[in-house]
């Protein structure tokens, strides 16, 4: 709001203020432009100027001491110069109207300047309002700020807003990653199982009676800490052994792990449970191998996912991998947190299983491939490739293999007649219905595509593997635990 300085009336805009000034405050007595003397008429004003301000008439002196025009503020070297300027430029403001002419003069209501017409007065009043606006800007920015200081303030404010926006984006990205990797406290295996089963009932894919039966089975499984076996496929390794022996013509030799059960993800761990399912595959092989009986004497059945989470937490409590534990806030049970090679290594070592974690941290072949990984797996399964039978059923456990966003289990390797290598891999993302096709007598190369991975098939930037090769004594376990506190995975260049 703007206030009229003459009558105090409040007006909303500058155009309204101009109209108010012109209409309400123009009928006033003419004043002397040199000393502001108020005259009853223009004849009296002219007589006053001639008598009170004879030549030379210096204008009011500014702060610098030079005479100044009272109308436009222009300075001169002497009063005579200023008077000549006033008469040449502003004479129409001094002279009264011609006889017989009813011309009206207009006086500025803000500084008492007399103008010959309304247009000149309006331009003059505009200057006053412009001055007023600039003074308000100075007040708003804290008085007499320099241009540099004002620019700095604006830059600081922009930086602050940008910082707030970046912090908001980082917070949203962090929350997104927490949700993606199951660290957002949204529940774990049990909650996801119930939620997905309820969704299946709502969509008509599951009968309510089946829902209640499966819920009861799940609660019993969780109470005992064992897997319910509903996603397990057994006998695949044995079927592969017979198939390679009788059918495969282009394979020179194949090495297979000790019998491995395949486990795939269920409604309770779909989207995040691959690491736990691969551990179940590895453990199913270890339990069949008598050389690991002492390490696994407390484990007779395959544990369920919540039980595996508790087992990893117990390994952390023993002191294994404190850095990894802190990443999960020392808690897995009741979450949908993804696990990787380091958590599998810690769990196996806590069970006194001698294992190693190896990092293939960059491609070692053309087009982003990893031939060194294939060579290492071949060396793991056999140190002597010459002689012997075509199918070698080794005592070696399968290998846990991790890459970005997923993990799988290596159960064997082919050496083909052209000397190329092909890994045999169990993927927890493959459902039981597909895996059971490998058990049929009519099996063919088409079914083997589920398992075969050639060098050109593995092109992730980095792979980590965990391989078991023996037992640890209690003393060796302590040493491994201490070493894991400053653990760095071995790297294959």
């Amino acid at each position: 709001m703007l206030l009229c300085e003459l009558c105090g009336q409040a007006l909303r805009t500058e155009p309204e203020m101009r109209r108010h000034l012109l209409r309400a405050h123009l009928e006033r007595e003419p004043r002397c432009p040199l000393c502001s003397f108020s005259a009853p008429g223009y004849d009296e004003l002219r007589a006053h100027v001639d008598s009170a301000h004879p030549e030379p008439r210096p204008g009011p002196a500014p702060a610098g001491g030079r005479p100044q025009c009272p109308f436009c503020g222009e300075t001169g070297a002497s009063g005579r110069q200023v008077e000549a300027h006033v008469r040449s430029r502003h004479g129409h403001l001094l002279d009264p109207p011609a006889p017989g002419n009813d011309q009206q003069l207009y006086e500025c209501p803000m500084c008492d300047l007399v103008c010959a017409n309304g247009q000149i007065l309006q331009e003059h009043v505009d200057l006053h309002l412009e001055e007023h606006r600039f003074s308000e800007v100075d007040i708003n920015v804290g008085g007499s700020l320099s241009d540099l200081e004002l620019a700095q303030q604006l830059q600081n404010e922009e930086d602050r807003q940008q910082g707030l926006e970046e912090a908001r984006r980082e917070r949203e990205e962090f929350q997104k990653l927490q949700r993606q990797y199951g660290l957002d406290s949204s529940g774990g295996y049990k909650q996801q199982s119930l939620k997905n089963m309820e969704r299946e009932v709502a969509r008509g894919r599951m009968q309510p009676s089946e829902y209640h039966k499966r819920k009861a089975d799940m609660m019993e499984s969780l109470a005992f800490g064992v897997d319910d076996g509903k996603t397990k496929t057994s006998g695949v390794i044995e079927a592969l052994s017979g198939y390679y022996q009788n059918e495969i013509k282009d394979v020179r030799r194949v090495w297979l792990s000790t019998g491995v059960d395949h486990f795939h993800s269920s409604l309770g761990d779909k989207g995040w449970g691959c690491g736990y399912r691969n551990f179940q595959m590895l453990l199913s092989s270890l339990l069949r191998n008598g050389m690991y009986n002492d390490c696994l004497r407390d484990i007779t059945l395959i544990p369920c996912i919540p039980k595996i989470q508790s087992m990893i937490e117990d390994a952390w409590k023993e002191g294994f991998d404190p850095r990894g534990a802190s990443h999960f806030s020392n808690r897995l049970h009741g979450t949908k947190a993804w696990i990787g090679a380091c958590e599998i290594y810690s769990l196996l070592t806590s069970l006194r299983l001698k294992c190693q974690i190896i990092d293939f941290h960059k491609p070692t072949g053309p087009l982003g491939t990893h031939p060194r990984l294939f060579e290492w797996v071949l060396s793991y399964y056999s140190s002597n490739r010459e002689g012997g039978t075509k199918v070698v059923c080794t005592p070696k456990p399968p290998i846990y293999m991790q890459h970005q966003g997923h993990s799988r289990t290596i159960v064997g390797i082919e050496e083909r007649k052209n000397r190329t290598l092909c890994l045999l891999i169990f993927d927890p993302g493959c459902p039981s219905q597909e895996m059971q096709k490998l058990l049929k007598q009519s099996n063919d190369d088409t079914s083997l595509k589920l398992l075969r991975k050639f060098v050109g098939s593995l092109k992730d930037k980095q792979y980590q593997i965990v391989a078991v090769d023996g037992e640890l004594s209690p003393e060796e376990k302590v040493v491994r635990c201490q070493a894991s506190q400053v653990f760095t995975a071995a790297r294959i260049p």
Side-chain angles (χ1 to χ4, degrees):
M1 298 292 290
L2 300 174
L3 294 178
C4 176
E5 296 183 0
L6 299 176
C7 65
Q9 182 175 341
L11 300 162
R12 289 178 298 178
T13 63
E14 292 179 2
E16 287 186 9
M17 173 64 78
R18 295 192 193 104
R19 289 194 296 270
H20 168 75
L21 293 174
L22 291 173
R23 294 172 181 174
H25 301 294
L26 292 180
E27 299 298 331
R28 300 184 60 185
E29 296 176 345
R31 293 180 179 272
C32 174
L34 301 178
C35 68
S36 297
F37 169 78
S38 179
Y42 290 101
D43 291 335
E44 289 82 359
L45 176 61
R46 185 59 175 265
H48 163 77
V49 170
D50 291 336
S51 61
H53 305 288
E55 294 182 1
R57 297 192 190 117
R66 294 170 61 87
Q68 185 178 25
C69 173
F71 298 98
C72 64
E74 183 173 333
T75 60
S78 64
R80 186 177 296 277
Q81 270 191 351
V82 171
E83 183 183 6
H85 163 79
V86 168
R87 291 190 176 279
S88 64
R89 294 289 302 276
H90 308 294
H92 61 285
L93 300 177
L94 299 177
D95 294 333
N101 190 346
D102 294 333
Q103 180 184 6
Q104 182 180 2
L105 295 184
Y106 302 93
E107 184 177 358
C108 174
M110 305 177 77
C111 67
D112 296 330
L113 177 67
V114 179
C115 301
N117 57 58
Q119 182 180 357
I120 295 174
L121 175 62
Q122 182 171 345
E123 293 175 356
H124 175 73
V125 171
D126 286 342
L127 293 175
H128 282 297
L129 295 176
E130 196 70 22
E131 268 185 12
H132 177 70
R133 185 161 54 249
F134 278 120
S135 65
E136 281 186 341
V137 171
D138 288 341
I139 293 173
N140 290 336
V141 299
S144 56
L145 286 179
S146 67
D147 291 343
L148 180 60
E149 290 172 328
L150 179 58
Q152 186 63 49
Q153 278 193 1
L154 295 175
Q155 183 63 50
N156 291 342
E157 178 63 20
E158 183 178 347
D159 292 344
R160 187 182 72 85
Q161 293 295 337
Q162 184 176 355
L164 293 174
E165 180 64 21
E166 290 178 356
R168 183 189 64 79
R169 286 198 301 268
E170 289 177 0
R171 185 168 59 253
E172 290 178 352
E173 286 297 321
F174 180 68
Q175 292 171 349
K176 181 179 178 181
L177 288 174
Q178 282 186 315
R179 289 191 299 272
Q180 179 180 350
Y181 292 103
L183 299 174
D184 59 348
S185 302
S186 61
Y189 180 88
K190 175 182 174 182
Q191 290 83 350
Q192 181 170 317
S193 295
L194 293 174
K195 182 178 179 181
N196 285 336
M197 285 193 295
E198 290 169 358
R199 185 179 289 118
E200 292 292 293
V201 172
R203 293 174 177 174
R205 299 174 183 172
M206 183 185 298
Q207 294 298 319
S209 57
E210 182 184 358
Y211 165 79
H212 290 292
K213 182 180 183 303
R214 293 181 63 173
K215 179 180 178 181
D217 291 343
M218 181 192 68
M219 298 304 289
E220 181 180 1
S221 171
L222 296 180
F224 287 99
V226 297
D227 187 80
D228 58 15
K230 294 184 182 301
T231 70
K232 181 176 73 172
T233 302
S234 300
V236 176
I237 297 296
E238 293 78 6
L240 288 174
S241 177
Y243 184 64
Y244 277 107
Q245 191 69 47
N246 300 320
E247 301 294 336
I248 300 296
K249 306 301 182 183
D250 57 349
V251 174
R252 181 171 181 267
R253 189 169 302 158
V254 60
W255 289 263
L256 298 172
S257 293
T258 303
V260 185
D261 294 331
H262 176 269
F263 291 82
H264 75 83
S265 299
S266 68
L267 292 176
D269 61 289
K270 186 176 181 180
W272 58 273
C274 58
Y276 304 98
R277 295 300 184 181
N278 286 308
F279 175 76
Q280 290 177 328
M281 296 185 205
L282 175 56
L283 187 59
S284 71
S285 178
L286 294 171
L287 289 173
R288 288 184 171 93
N289 195 324
M291 69 178 294
Y292 300 107
N293 286 344
D294 185 50
C295 296
L296 303 175
R297 61 178 180 270
D298 295 329
I299 302 176
T300 57
L301 298 173
I302 300 297
C304 62
I305 288 180
K307 177 62 176 178
I308 297 173
Q309 291 176 322
S310 297
M311 293 167 68
I312 296 174
E313 290 178 359
D314 291 340
W316 289 339
K317 291 175 183 176
E318 290 187 59
F320 287 96
D321 192 18
R323 178 180 293 181
S326 64
H327 171 74
F328 295 98
S329 300
N330 297 283
R331 177 175 172 265
L332 286 175
H333 192 272
T335 74
K336 293 181 283 191
W338 294 25
I339 60 170
C342 291
E343 287 70 49
I344 297 298
Y345 174 87
S346 297
L347 175 54
L348 293 172
T349 309
S350 72
L351 297 173
R352 289 202 300 110
L353 291 163
K354 183 180 180 181
C355 59
Q356 54 183 323
I357 177 171
I358 301 175
D359 182 8
F360 296 86
H361 65 100
K362 64 180 180 179
T364 52
L367 302 176
T369 57
H370 292 262
R372 292 279 183 90
L373 169 61
F374 285 71
E375 294 167 6
W376 192 97
V377 173
L378 180 61
S379 175
Y380 169 80
Y381 279 107
S382 175
S383 58
N384 181 13
R385 286 180 283 165
E386 300 301 328
T389 62
K390 178 180 180 181
V391 180
V392 183
C393 295
T394 74
K396 295 286 189 177
I399 301 170
Y400 178 95
M401 182 177 70
Q402 178 77 46
H403 56 88
Q404 178 64 37
H406 194 42
S407 60
R408 292 175 280 184
T409 298
I410 301 172
V411 299
I413 187 169
E414 296 178 354
E415 185 181 39
R416 305 175 73 81
K417 290 183 178 179
N418 60 5
R419 298 292 179 173
T420 61
L421 299 176
C422 176
L423 297 181
L424 300 175
I425 291 177
F426 281 4
D427 190 333
C430 182
S432 296
Q433 296 90 327
E434 295 297 323
M435 293 298 297
Q436 288 170 2
K437 294 179 181 179
L438 296 166
L439 304 178
K440 299 178 180 179
Q441 295 296 325
S442 59
N443 196 7
D444 55 22
D445 284 355
T446 304
S447 299
L448 281 179
K449 289 182 179 179
L450 294 172
L451 308 183
R452 281 176 164 163
K453 298 296 177 184
F454 294 93
V455 173
S457 303
L458 300 183
K459 293 185 177 182
D460 281 272
K461 292 183 179 180
Q462 182 176 1
Y463 290 88
Q464 284 182 315
I465 62 173
V466 182
V468 176
D469 192 16
E471 290 185 322
L472 293 172
S473 67
E475 293 76 19
E476 289 175 325
K477 174 183 172 180
V478 172
V479 173
R480 291 286 182 105
C481 181
Q482 294 172 346
S484 74
Q485 296 175 11
V486 289
F487 177 79
T488 302
R491 288 189 168 188
I492 299 299

